[in-house]
Each structure stands twice: as C-alpha cells, then as structure tokens.
Amino acid sequence: MVYTISGVRFPHLPSIKKNSSLPSFNDDRRTNAVTFSLRKDTRSSGMIFSRKPSYDSDSSSLATTASDKVEPQETVSEVTQVHDDVAQQVETQGQEQTSALSTSGGQSDKADIASMSESLEQEVVQRRIPPPGDGKKIYDIDPMLKSYDGHLDYRYGQYIKLRDEIDKNEGGLEAFSRGYEIFGFTRSATGITYREWAPGAKAASLIGDFNNWNSKTDVMTRNEYGVWEIFLPNNADGSPAIPHGSRVKIRMDTPSGIKDSIPAWIKYSVQAPGEIPYDGVYYDPAEEDKYVFKHPRPRKPTSLRIYESHVGMSSTEPMINTYANFRDDVLPRIKKLGYNAVQIMAIQEHSYYASFGYHVTNFFAPSSRFGTPDDLKSLIDKAHELGLVVLMDIVHSHASKNTLDGLNMFDGTDGQYFHSGERGYHWMWDSRLFNYGSWEVLRYLLSNARWWLEEYKFDGFRFDGVTSMMYTHHGLQVEFTGNYNEYFGYSTDVDAVVYLMLVNDMIHGLYPEAIVVGEDVSGMPAFCIPVEDGGVGFDYRLHMAVADKWIELLKKRDEDWQVGDIVFTLTNRRWGEKCVVYAESHDQALVGDKTIAFWLMDKDMYDFMAVDKQATPRVDRGIALHKMIRLITMGLGGEGYLNFMGNEFGHPEWIDFPRTDQHLPDGRVIPGNNGSYDKCRRRFDLGDAEYLRYHGLQEFDRAMQHLEEKYGFMTSEQQYISRKDEGDRVIVFERGNLVFVFNFHWTNSYSDYRIGCSVPGKYKIVLDSDDSLFGGFSRLDDSAEFFTSDGRYDDRPCSLMVYAPCRTAVVYAAVDSNEDSSLVPISLVPEDV
C-alpha cells in the first residue's frame, strides 16, 4: 500500500505472513499470496473491532470492519493536498523515489519520509480537513430549529462520534477517504496487489485474461475481517503480471454459490460485443501513454451557471457520442453560450444505458461507452482551459441491483454494501440502497467521491437523489409542506444524513474551491449550512419546485396564470441557503413528458419554425413565453441557474433511449423503440440554423448568460419585488443594479407604464426579449433613454415610465453619464466575448 504525502508516493507495508489454513478452491496456490497480520501500537491504534451504529441502523452493534486488516499507520500529518500545478511538477520526482523503494522489503524510514516531505514544503500548500465545530450556529440562523434541538444535537453528536472514531482508528478522515490506495488493484515497483472486502465469501481467486481464467492459479487469502488479498510479482522482464487492458474478475465461493464478480473498486469496465454483463478491466497504461493535465482548475465562480449535459447523447447524429467529440464540439459551444460550469451526467459506469446513468454498477469506473479514462481526463482538462468548472452527477443514493457486474450480492450475501431485506430495496427505482451505518460502506463512498476529485480533477458534484437518502420513506408518497416535524423525526435516516455531512466536510476540507449541489425536493432546513455550524454542508440545493410549477401552468390557459403564484414559487426558498434554479432539466425532457417548448408549441414546431414563413399564433406565443420563463426563472429563482443541453433553443423532441420490448411477469409487454437512437441525441444544428426560429431562442439564452456575467444579479443582495399586478399581469423587480419588467398579458401592451426603482437617474435597455435577433417583433427602441422621476412609487424612492409590450421581458440598467459609451444591449455583444 502507498500513501501520498505532499505529492510524493511512499511505500508502507504491513507485516506479511503466509497462511496455509485459509480457505481456497484447492491447494495449488502461488507462494507469494499474502495476508495482513495485526499488531497493536500505542501511537495509533489503526484498528476498530466494533462500533455502535445509530439508532435506525439495522447493522449489528458489534460489526467488525475491514479497517482492522492493516497494522497502525506511521502518521505524518492529517492531510497535505497538493495544488494541481505543483502536483504535476512533483509527480515525476515522487515516482522516481518510489521506484527505488521495494514494497517487499519492509517499511521506509520515518526520517526519509520527513526529509522528502520537508524538501517539498516550499512547493506545496497544505490543506487540512478542519476539526468539527460545535454545531450550534444553526440555532442563530434559524431560531425555529431550537424546538428540534434534541434531534439536531443527536445528529451532530453522531457525526462528532464518527469523526472521533475515524480519527482514532483510521488516522483521520483524510486517510479514511483514500481507500482506493488499499483496495482494488494497486501497483508497486515489484508487483500488483489486489484486495477485496468480501466477508461472506468462503474462498476467492483472481481470474482473467492474464491467467486464462484459471481459478486454481491465483488463489487469494483472507484475513479474519473478510479482506481477501493476493500479490502478483512482476514478470522476469520487469513487466506487470497483469498486462494493461486485461479483463479481470474475482471468483468467489459464496453462500449463494460460485460467483464471478467485477472487483468492487475496478477503475474501468467494458461490455464485450454481443454480451450483456460487463467485464472488469485492469487499466494501467504505460507512463508515456497516460494523460497529463496541463491546465489548472478555474476559480469557483461567484454566480453559478450550469450547462447540464450527457456525453452519450450530445451528438447531432443518432449515435453514442464520445468524450473526445464532446470535448471538441460541445465544450466550445458551452463556453460561447456564456455558461461557466458544465455538469456531466452518467459518468459512473452503468450497464443499462437507458437508466440515464442512475443505476450505477461500477462506482470508480468512467463509462466505457464514451471512451477511455484518459479521454475523460482530456475532456476535463479542455474544460479547465476554457475556464469552465466541471461538476459530476454522482450517484450515492442507490445502486444497480445487477449481481453479475454490480455490487448487489457481491459476496453472496444480501447485506454487504446494502441494507438487508426490504429496507435495502427501492421499490420505485428497482435498485439497492446503501447501509450508511456500515464502516466499510462509508470508506467506499467517501473514497469514491475523493477519487473523482483527485484522479479526474472534477471540480465538484451534483449529488443525485439526496431526498431518498435522508428519509426512510425516501420521499415517496409524501407531500412536504414545510412543517419541521416532517424533517426531524423517526422517518429521518440519521446514518445517511451523517454520511452526507462527512462527505461534504471531506470535499470542502480537501478542496475549498469545490462546489457541491444536492438534489433535495423536501426542503430540509440547514441543508446548505456548513457542517461545522450544524448543517448538512451542501453549497447549493436544487430548487426543484420551479420546474414543476411551470409544467403545472403550461397545462392551463394564459388567463388562469397568477403572477403572484409565479413569484411565490420562485422566491419560496430558505433564507441564507443558496439554490440552483432551473425551468427544466433532463427530467422534463424524458420520453413520457414534454419539454417546455413542446408544451408551448406542440406539433407546430415541425412545420412553422422557418423564419421566412408565417408563424402560427401558437408558435408566436411559444417563442415569447419560452424566453420569459427562462429569464424570470434565472432572475428571481436562485443564486445559480441550470439548463439541460438543447433546452436553450427549445429542443423540439423528448429523450428516448434505445430500448427493446419489455416483457413483464404478469404477461404485459411494454413496447420499445427497436433500439433506436433517433431520439437519444441533441439537434444542435437546429439552434445554429439562422433560418430557423430555434436560433433566436438560443441567442436569447446566450444573452441571458452574458447579462448575468456582466451584472452578477443572481448573487446580489439587492432584491425587491415592487409589482405583481394580477390585472395587468405584470411583474417588476429589482435584482442588483437591474430592473426587470415582465408583461405576461396575452394581448395588452402598456405605454407610459410607471415602474418603481431605487436608483435615480438615467436608464437604458440592456436585454429585450422582443428583439428581432431573439425572434421578437422589435417593438422597443433599444437606444432609448429613460429618466426617473422623484417621489415614491410602488414603495420605491423613484420611478420611470416605460413601454411594456404584451408577452415581453425587458431589463433596464441605471447608467452613469461616464458609462454611456460602454453600455450596449446584450444582444449586440460580439459572439467571441
């Protein structure tokens, strides 16, 4: 095993002994099979023999853990995390030093470690996961929480207790989250070690292309805590015993019979042509073939504008697209549109493409459908070159129930990684549910989050399905009303909430610039408050209610829309907790639902989107409202904004993954689409075609993003809604230094319409949804100047008169006379800005 200290890899080997009494398939075993032995050390125990789970865990109160497998660590410090640019220049030096040290010759001297660490001290910036706070600040932020301090103090106490146990027995959260340096395949100068936690197995062998799938060749040994291990020395010529690209599996004799499984910590897996299960792949290319990152991570943006994307469906052609094509074709598009973050879905390997990446089978492996791990690294590096933050849609809320290529029944038992019995199954998602009260599950998931940050340089995560994690009812058939009793009671899965606190603390401790977004529909209080203050620790919550509200309204007539209802939904979020808002995400674009554009324009989108043809009233209405819906969502709904790729130009069709007919146990047949990819792509060509009305919608989205980039209105503390007139159907609000005017009326346009504002002086139009560039009717003069009048109006200190055409959104900015020459409407900003 190796530890990374200040960018240098140092070997650290526990005591090794032969153990001929361990179970195996036969007696033909390589003499180099090894196992860990334990020893006590008063300096750092490094072991835990039992831990008491929280009250709602179904695990044993004396659950032994695989952390017992190693002898105590020679602790250097809790954590030193290298800046990316420093890590690259130090990495070569560290590898050269490591190669000179034999992993079979005992431990390296502490003095050598200290010396090498000290020599690099000036090149690195140390980062530590800070110790926990007192968790009491949430009561100052929200005094209503004081009534639930019993639950919240208990929750925080469980978190403190777990942190203490990790510090005591694992050398701290930083070390605990590096499980990928212990489990799975790890390579040293002398060979390859493979370790797997499979306590239910009675015997295990490593099989693969390298040994002709012979289970009698490489038999593994087991320690008393269920960790199986084998060491494969280098070949005589110094080459690794397992060639790069070899297929590998672990064969186990389990309570459920003989079983071949993909290693749980596998870093790459592929599906052979014509086969259904995936195969694990030993991925370790030669140094000269490994991708080397060239660009530093961008700084965390103040205003987060996310372009949600899926690599596989990002081609205009009906095919599975690649990481390389996404890098070259889609990333420049995202940059040009003005987004500063790209969120990538379906990265973790999933054997069922149509699961949208949410039925994960191999948590440490990037999907091989789109290319190699190095291709993904190249994509992320290119995004960083463009200044784009890259977020990963990570799934820790559940897992695929596949037994051949996933974690389900991995060691032949129902409750290894998941809750056993009914509690371990999600009946709606048809998937398995993790046991967050298990020590080794915590190690696995914490290490998984860190792996994607460290190895691939993702800049953060969007955690999927957090509501399902936090409640034992998973948010199913439950209507959250905002009553605090819904959040703090027996239906709360404290183990899961504590895990979320741990992972957020780990992420923010190691990477202070990282961004973590949680998908929570429940509105859990303190969700976006730092862990040290007693919160769950997310940076943003997805404001999921907004998209549902738009769908609700789009099913009604214009006359039945209530502007007060729109404003309430957009602003109904917890004070002091940031939200990412969206009008529609991938959820609204799936087959069985409709995009906003399709709700608005329906079949007219197929015949009346050419600009040289007369539009129908339905298309005119749809074009106008599509722009207004997006802008008011961005302007009033949160501190971050998200758009699913293609929706910026009103993608005309739904997403339908290739699928075949599904035969249900009751005899019913759900028809498929003959494996078609026709609806599993993005028609970017439509948005780029200037002769189509889609182009105007796309240009408006670009103008929105650049407006926010220039004025930063989403994160401004200045927000005031001065008018929500149900009769006029007008909404007026200030955000930052801008005044937004929305006229949702279907026929009424208002001349000399007075609106309130806070800054006196001259105003000019900086964004006009009615501009002809955006498919509008150009009823406003963007060069016009507007001057305020003294006297309070709509509870604002001054006011101005404007023209508000029907179904338009117009944004005004106060202008200083010295700024006149630089202030131009966003629609006129050059494309290369």
Side-chain angles (χ1 to χ4, degrees):
M1 144 174 98
V2 293
Y3 293 99
T4 304
I5 309 294
S6 299
V8 181
R9 296 172 65 82
F10 305 107
H12 179 89
L13 189 73
S15 302
I16 297 175
K17 67 176 182 179
K18 301 288 185 359
N19 189 339
S20 59
S21 64
L22 292 170
S24 64
F25 293 134
N26 52 69
D27 294 327
D28 181 15
R29 189 169 49 210
R30 289 193 179 186
T31 57
N32 53 17
V34 297
T35 186
F36 289 114
S37 67
L38 303 174
R39 67 178 175 84
K40 292 186 177 180
D41 191 320
T42 57
R43 291 166 295 178
S44 171
S45 70
M47 304 181 272
I48 177 167
F49 293 98
S50 65
R51 67 180 292 267
K52 185 177 181 181
S54 63
Y55 72 90
D56 55 355
S57 170
D58 62 7
S59 56
S60 167
S61 61
L62 294 175
T64 56
T65 71
S67 60
D68 301 357
K69 69 188 185 310
V70 295
E71 72 175 23
Q73 303 173 12
E74 299 289 352
T75 307
V76 178
S77 64
E78 165 131 24
V79 58
T80 51
Q81 177 60 45
V82 188
H83 273 309
D84 295 327
D85 52 349
V86 176
Q88 291 172 16
Q89 72 182 59
V90 173
E91 184 177 14
T92 302
Q93 177 185 350
Q95 290 171 346
E96 291 172 353
Q97 292 167 327
T98 301
S99 65
L101 298 169
S102 171
T103 58
S104 61
Q107 301 180 9
S108 59
D109 189 80
K110 284 181 68 177
D112 292 337
I113 295 177
S115 175
M116 285 190 286
S117 180
E118 184 176 345
S119 68
L120 296 170
E121 189 173 353
Q122 312 226 335
E123 298 178 284
V124 302
V125 175
Q126 293 189 349
R127 293 179 181 169
R128 302 188 63 225
I129 299 176
D134 62 9
K136 300 294 185 182
K137 191 173 180 180
I138 53 173
Y139 303 126
D140 297 328
I141 297 172
D142 183 359
M144 289 179 62
L145 292 175
K146 191 64 180 174
S147 300
Y148 301 88
D149 59 355
H151 177 99
L152 290 166
D153 288 349
Y154 170 78
R155 185 179 81 181
Y156 199 76
Q158 292 297 103
Y159 161 76
I160 293 292
K161 184 186 300 182
L162 197 50
R163 279 288 301 263
D164 289 343
E165 289 180 354
I166 291 172
D167 290 345
K168 176 182 177 183
N169 300 296
E170 298 284 354
L173 188 55
E174 190 278 330
F176 190 48
S177 61
R178 283 191 275 119
Y180 47 80
E181 294 182 357
I182 303 171
F183 289 99
F185 294 93
T186 57
R187 186 180 173 192
S188 67
T190 58
I192 298 170
T193 300
Y194 169 56
R195 300 188 186 98
E196 197 74 72
W197 175 61
K202 295 176 284 185
S205 288
L206 181 62
I207 57 176
D209 294 332
F210 72 100
N211 64 7
N212 295 316
W213 301 89
N214 187 347
S215 63
K216 298 180 180 181
T217 303
D218 295 298
V219 178
M220 303 176 72
T221 57
R222 180 190 192 275
N223 72 10
E224 59 184 304
Y225 303 105
V227 177
W228 296 87
E229 176 188 337
I230 190 168
F231 177 75
L232 304 178
N234 291 339
N235 297 320
D237 62 358
S239 61
I242 308 177
H244 164 62
S246 298
R247 294 177 301 162
V248 291
K249 286 191 175 182
I250 179 174
R251 175 166 293 171
M252 293 175 284
D253 183 5
T254 78
S256 303
I258 302 298
K259 181 177 185 289
D260 292 350
S261 295
I262 294 178
W265 299 71
I266 198 72
K267 306 304 189 298
Y268 192 50
S269 62
V270 299
Q271 185 181 36
E275 295 186 6
I276 295 177
Y278 275 58
D279 289 313
V281 172
Y282 178 73
Y283 194 87
D284 187 21
E287 289 299 319
E288 61 270 19
D289 295 327
K290 293 180 180 178
Y291 187 83
V292 178
F293 286 91
K294 305 174 184 65
H295 304 284
R297 302 174 190 266
R299 297 300 303 270
K300 178 167 60 176
T302 302
S303 298
L304 190 61
R305 302 185 300 276
I306 303 172
Y307 195 82
E308 184 183 39
S309 58
H310 183 288
V311 171
M313 66 171 64
S314 63
S315 172
T316 58
E317 301 300 321
M319 57 178 276
I320 296 179
N321 209 12
T322 65
Y323 294 123
N325 288 344
F326 188 93
R327 175 197 65 206
D328 297 337
D329 300 334
V330 182
L331 286 179
R333 172 183 297 277
I334 297 170
K335 177 66 176 179
K336 178 181 175 181
L337 284 170
Y339 290 86
N340 55 26
V342 53
Q343 177 181 300
I344 309 180
M345 306 174 62
I347 290 296
Q348 295 169 291
E349 190 60 271
H350 48 292
S351 62
Y352 185 43
Y353 189 42
S355 76
F356 228 132
Y358 290 125
H359 281 196
V360 177
T361 45
N362 310 121
F363 282 78
F364 288 82
S367 181
S368 59
R369 288 182 181 86
F370 318 136
T372 69
D374 288 282
D375 291 336
L376 175 58
K377 291 177 181 179
S378 176
L379 183 163
I380 295 171
D381 201 25
K382 179 63 177 180
H384 289 168
E385 180 186 5
L386 294 172
L388 296 172
V389 166
V390 187
L391 306 180
M392 175 178 165
D393 200 345
I394 195 168
V395 184
H396 283 182
S397 50
H398 63 134
S400 168
K401 69 174 187 180
N402 288 13
T403 57
L404 295 180
D405 47 20
L407 292 179
N408 189 23
M409 302 290 290
F410 182 82
D411 67 352
T413 65
D414 185 48
Q416 182 189 1
Y417 283 96
F418 311 108
H419 288 293
S420 59
E422 183 179 348
R423 187 179 176 189
Y425 287 87
H426 196 294
W427 62 267
M428 178 174 284
W429 294 346
D430 194 28
S431 55
R432 295 303 312 269
L433 297 171
F434 286 105
N435 177 6
Y436 303 103
S438 163
W439 191 266
E440 291 307 315
V441 171
L442 290 177
R443 185 200 306 277
Y444 186 81
L445 294 178
L446 288 168
S447 299
N448 184 243
R450 182 169 180 180
W451 169 255
W452 295 107
L453 295 171
E454 298 262 349
E455 183 70 13
Y456 290 91
K457 301 193 185 300
F458 279 98
D459 302 296
F461 301 105
R462 178 260 199 190
F463 271 80
D464 172 70
V466 175
T467 301
S468 176
M469 297 172 67
M470 294 192 299
Y471 306 96
T472 55
H473 52 60
H474 311 302
L476 301 176
Q477 299 176 330
V478 174
E479 219 176 284
F480 291 97
T481 64
N483 187 314
Y484 279 27
N485 292 321
E486 299 165 348
Y487 307 115
F488 311 119
Y490 290 110
S491 63
T492 304
D493 189 331
V494 174
D495 286 343
V497 176
V498 169
Y499 163 68
L500 292 171
M501 295 165 72
L502 280 173
V503 74
N504 279 319
D505 239 9
M506 184 268 292
I507 292 169
H508 290 121
L510 294 176
Y511 288 92
E513 291 283 296
I515 300 167
V516 190
V517 182
E519 185 195 34
D520 171 42
V521 71
S522 73
M524 166 72 80
F527 187 77
C528 295
I529 299 298
V531 175
E532 64 182 6
D533 297 331
V536 184
F538 285 96
D539 295 304
Y540 295 87
R541 183 204 314 270
L542 279 181
H543 199 347
M544 302 174 68
V546 173
D548 293 338
K549 174 57 66 175
W550 287 125
I551 298 302
E552 175 190 322
L553 291 176
L554 290 171
K555 295 177 181 179
K556 299 179 178 180
R557 303 178 308 157
D558 288 8
E559 294 88 334
D560 297 325
W561 289 27
Q562 298 293 317
V563 295
D565 189 27
I566 294 172
V567 169
F568 175 80
T569 302
L570 289 169
T571 57
N572 183 26
R573 55 188 189 271
R574 297 189 60 81
W575 178 82
E577 299 189 42
K578 293 187 291 186
C579 286
V580 171
V581 71
Y582 57 93
E584 54 184 340
S585 68
H586 68 275
D587 287 328
Q588 287 72 39
L590 286 168
V591 65
D593 206 335
K594 294 180 182 180
T595 63
I596 288 179
F598 213 85
W599 276 109
L600 288 167
M601 293 176 278
D602 203 69
K603 63 182 180 180
D604 285 17
M605 299 185 75
Y606 294 112
D607 299 311
F608 300 98
M609 295 298 281
V611 296
D612 62 350
K613 293 183 179 180
Q614 181 66 41
T616 65
R618 178 181 285 173
V619 167
D620 284 340
R621 171 182 181 266
I623 294 289
L625 288 178
H626 198 278
K627 292 177 287 187
M628 296 180 70
I629 286 170
R630 283 179 287 154
L631 182 58
I632 197 170
T633 298
M634 186 184 202
L636 203 53
E639 292 73 32
Y641 179 77
L642 177 143
N643 166 70
F644 179 68
M645 63 178 188
N647 290 348
E648 69 274 10
F649 59 84
H651 201 282
E653 293 177 331
W654 53 88
I655 299 166
D656 191 10
F657 284 88
R659 52 194 171 85
T660 56
D661 294 348
Q662 183 180 358
H663 297 269
L664 301 179
D666 60 8
R668 290 182 299 142
V669 177
I670 299 177
N673 60 12
N674 296 317
S676 173
Y677 286 87
D678 185 62
K679 299 294 190 295
C680 197
R681 54 176 171 153
R682 294 282 91 180
R683 294 294 306 275
F684 292 120
D685 54 313
L686 300 177
D688 292 342
E690 295 184 12
Y691 58 87
L692 295 177
R693 290 184 166 87
Y694 297 107
H695 183 69
L697 294 176
Q698 180 170 281
E699 284 300 295
F700 183 75
D701 202 89
R702 189 175 76 89
M704 279 172 46
Q705 308 309 318
H706 286 287
L707 181 77
E708 209 292 321
E709 173 68 21
K710 179 173 182 178
Y711 291 98
F713 57 82
M714 283 196 302
T715 54
S716 172
E717 294 183 1
Q718 159 71 355
Q719 177 174 310
Y720 191 89
I721 301 160
S722 60
R723 176 170 291 243
K724 42 186 178 180
D725 192 311
E726 297 293 352
D728 293 346
R729 304 300 169 105
V730 170
I731 298 172
V732 180
F733 63 87
E734 298 166 51
R735 197 151 189 205
N737 294 322
L738 303 177
V739 180
F740 294 74
V741 180
F742 290 82
N743 180 4
F744 278 95
H745 204 283
W746 47 98
T747 57
N748 290 354
S749 298
Y750 304 109
S751 299
D752 295 330
Y753 195 81
R754 186 174 295 279
I755 61 172
C757 58
S758 59
V759 178
K762 182 170 65 175
Y763 282 76
K764 295 194 71 173
I765 296 172
V766 290
L767 182 62
D768 169 19
S769 71
D770 201 43
D771 193 304
S772 60
L773 176 63
F774 309 140
F777 297 99
S778 295
R779 287 171 285 179
L780 290 168
D781 180 2
D782 288 339
S783 65
E785 298 176 340
F786 304 83
F787 295 88
T788 62
S789 300
D790 295 333
R792 298 191 70 81
Y793 188 81
D794 281 349
D795 204 26
R796 309 309 288 147
C798 51
S799 62
L800 64 152
M801 308 281 278
V802 300
Y803 176 41
C806 61
R807 287 187 180 140
T808 59
V810 185
V811 184
Y812 299 86
V815 186
D816 186 282
S817 58
N818 296 325
E819 298 175 349
D820 283 1
S821 60
S822 64
L823 186 63
V824 295
I826 294 296
S827 61
L828 302 179
V829 175
E831 289 196 356
D832 58 354
V833 170

